[in-house]
């Protein structure tokens, strides 16, 4: 039920943080993974995986429609799309140009990839197991007074996930999201290093620790596997209990 060996996956934002954790878990599960991330972002780990024939790195900005068409056009086959590319700009998000940029990367970038990959995913047929996993957030559920663009983009990811799940079920494409709680990655470094904010986060998290990229990878692989074959349109929290506390 959990076997996804031999599948082909595309992971945006897969060079760092949560995306890298998901990409490496997919490789361990026997998938071939195309990691699409900003030019120059390939890490030594990713280069080693590439040399071992488990992964391919392609430079891509998810705001570049022509670049996406070229990357997706070069794939022969695709079973799994994970949209992990994302940015946060905190206080600067009250500036309208920055607001638009965060929406463009986090939300429209996800829609661009979903749209470009749909024909390849649908080519697997109605029972071919094609799956999209988008990365939502706790801020898909809560407002974020310090991050208006980031929260709007993640609220949008939840609604986009539900909408595409309905629209593309007939193509055999399941569309789900994971909503990570507080995960220790470069994106949250400022919070991890702020003793007051970090204490507030940990004291509300029943499991009492920061999450790891591998915690999010487990739920993502589950949603891509036959074990989740009747699940679509779900936004699955992976948060150590933060949401219910
Ligand atoms: P990260 O900063 O470690 O990694 C983000 C990746 O996206 C980087 O590799 C970066 O190069 C790539 N990226 C940024 N802009 C891009 C663009 N325009 N085109 C292509 N790639 C681009 O961040 P992290 O924490 O791994 O976040 C990954 C996803 O998870 C994001 O969507 C983020 O919003 C989400 N998330 C993270 C949480 C956390 O606590 N770290 C919590 C909830 C959601």
């Amino acid at each position: 039920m959990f076997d996804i060996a031999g599948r082909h996956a595309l992971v945006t934002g897969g060079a760092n943080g949560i995306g890298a954790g998901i990409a490496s878990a997919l490789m361990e599960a026997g998938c071939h993974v195309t990691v699409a991330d900003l030019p120059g972002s390939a890490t030594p780990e990713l280069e080693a995986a590439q040399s071992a024939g488990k992964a391919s790195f392609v430079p891509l900005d998810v705001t570049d429609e022509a670049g996406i068409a070229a990357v997706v056009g070069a794939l022969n086959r695709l079973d799994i799309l994970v949209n992990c590319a994302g940015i946060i700009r905190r206080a600067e998000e009250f500036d309208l140009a920055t607001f638009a940029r965060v929406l463009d990367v986090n939300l429209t970038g996800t829609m661009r990839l979903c749209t470009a990959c749909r024909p390849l995913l649908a080519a697997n047929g109605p029972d071919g197991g094609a799956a999209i996993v988008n990365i939502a957030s706790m801020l898909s559920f809560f407002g974020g007074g310090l991050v208006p663009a980031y929260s709007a983009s993640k609220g949008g990811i939840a609604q986009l996930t539900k909408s595409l799940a309905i629209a593309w079920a007939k193509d055999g494409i399941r569309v789900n999201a994971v909503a990570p709680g507080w995960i220790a990655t470069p994106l949250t470094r400022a919070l991890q290093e702020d003793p007051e904010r970090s204490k507030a986060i940990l004291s509300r998290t029943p499991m009492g620790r920061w999450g790891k990229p591998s915690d999010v990878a487990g739920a993502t692989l589950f949603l891509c596997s036959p074990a989740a074959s009747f699940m679509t349109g779900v936004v699955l929290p992976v948060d150590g209990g933060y949401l219910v506390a």
Side-chain angles (χ1 to χ4, degrees):
M1 275 189 120
F2 296 94
D3 186 8
I4 52 171
R7 299 203 182 176
H8 286 234
L10 173 61
V11 182
T12 72
N16 289 293
I18 293 172
I22 292 171
S24 87
L26 285 165
M27 286 177 225
E28 263 175 52
C31 296
H32 184 276
V33 185
T34 301
V35 171
D37 205 312
L38 294 174
S41 61
T43 57
E45 291 80 10
L46 189 49
E47 278 160 9
Q50 190 156 233
S51 305
K54 296 179 182 173
S56 320
F57 174 76
V58 289
L60 180 72
D61 184 327
V62 298
T63 63
D64 172 9
E65 222 170 310
I68 293 170
V71 165
V72 176
L75 300 174
N76 300 317
R77 173 185 162 188
L78 189 66
D79 305 278
I80 293 167
L81 167 65
V82 181
N83 285 300
C84 210
I87 56 171
I88 192 164
R89 290 293 179 262
R90 303 202 166 82
E92 295 161 40
E93 294 180 13
F94 287 91
D95 167 70
L96 283 181
T98 306
F99 184 93
R101 171 74 189 163
V102 172
L103 268 288
D104 198 22
V105 174
N106 294 5
L107 180 58
T108 314
T110 296
M111 181 59 178
R112 280 189 196 97
L113 264 299
C114 289
T115 303
C117 292
R118 180 187 174 194
L120 273 179
L121 291 168
N124 294 299
D127 299 315
I132 296 175
V133 178
N134 297 324
I135 308 299
S137 163
M138 291 295 101
L139 293 167
S140 299
F141 306 104
F142 301 123
L146 303 173
V147 285
Y150 186 83
S151 334
S153 74
K154 294 299 182 178
I157 287 287
Q159 291 304 91
L160 178 65
T161 298
K162 295 173 200 173
S163 303
L164 296 183
I166 298 165
W168 295 352
K170 63 179 181 311
D171 297 330
I173 305 171
R174 294 184 299 102
V175 187
N176 292 295
V178 289
W182 303 91
I183 312 297
T185 69
L187 188 112
T188 52
R189 188 164 294 137
L191 292 176
Q192 295 166 58
E193 286 169 359
D194 178 336
E196 229 167 82
R197 298 291 307 282
S198 184
K199 190 173 164 221
I201 287 166
L202 292 180
S203 62
R204 183 179 160 169
T205 304
M207 291 184 71
R209 66 167 173 88
W210 283 81
K212 297 174 285 200
S214 58
D215 293 321
V216 183
T220 304
L221 265 64
F222 161 66
L223 288 172
C224 295
S225 75
S229 58
F230 201 47
M231 291 177 73
T232 198
V234 159
V235 182
L236 183 64
V238 182
D239 63 349
Y242 187 89
L243 203 56
V244 295

